Amino acid sequence: MVKCNTMPEVRSEIDRIDRELVRLLAERQTYIEQAGAIKGERSAVRDEARIEDVVAKVLAEAERAGLSPAIAEPLWRLLIEKSIEHEFTVFDEKKKKIASA
């Protein structure tokens, strides 16, 4: 972590972190897409037990890292919901391709 003395320095560091977060989220998305291609049933896309497992792991890591659970939990729940929506899209596109083949 860099000690910042000015707002431009703070903003520069936030921008750097945002770029890295985007790269990591894009990587995460590739695994969501693989899941959508692998799952055999649309009903398997949403897995409540897995959602709660992911949130629990994130909250444990957030505590270790010093991230407020008030930020971590709602952020990851939104990320999970948007990931599920994307996975449904991938799943449905896969089914369309199979049906038209």
Side-chain angles (χ1 to χ4, degrees):
M1 183 170 71
V2 174
K3 170 69 172 123
C4 299
N5 297 306
T6 66
M7 283 309 299
E9 291 173 340
V10 168
R11 290 179 179 139
S12 176
E13 289 304 307
I14 289 172
D15 291 346
R16 177 188 59 78
I17 292 166
D18 285 347
R19 286 189 301 274
E20 184 66 14
L21 286 170
V22 167
R23 189 193 63 74
L24 290 168
L25 289 169
E27 180 181 353
R28 187 182 194 282
Q29 179 182 301
T30 67
Y31 294 107
I32 297 301
E33 290 166 351
Q34 289 179 48
I38 291 169
K39 292 179 181 173
E41 298 294 325
R42 197 173 196 277
S43 61
V45 171
R46 179 174 207 82
D47 182 343
E48 295 297 332
R50 175 66 179 147
I51 292 169
E52 295 310 315
D53 179 54
V54 169
V55 170
K57 289 174 184 173
V58 164
L59 289 174
E61 186 59 30
E63 184 175 347
R64 284 189 289 275
L67 176 61
S68 167
I71 294 172
E73 185 168 359
L75 183 60
W76 254 267
R77 288 193 182 277
L78 178 60
L79 175 60
I80 291 166
E81 288 306 314
K82 293 301 178 183
S83 296
I84 289 169
E85 288 175 17
H86 186 65
E87 189 176 334
F88 273 126
T89 299
V90 170
F91 183 89
D92 292 344
E93 287 174 0
K94 174 188 76 169
K95 288 298 182 187
K96 280 185 205 176
K97 286 179 184 176
I98 292 169
S100 66

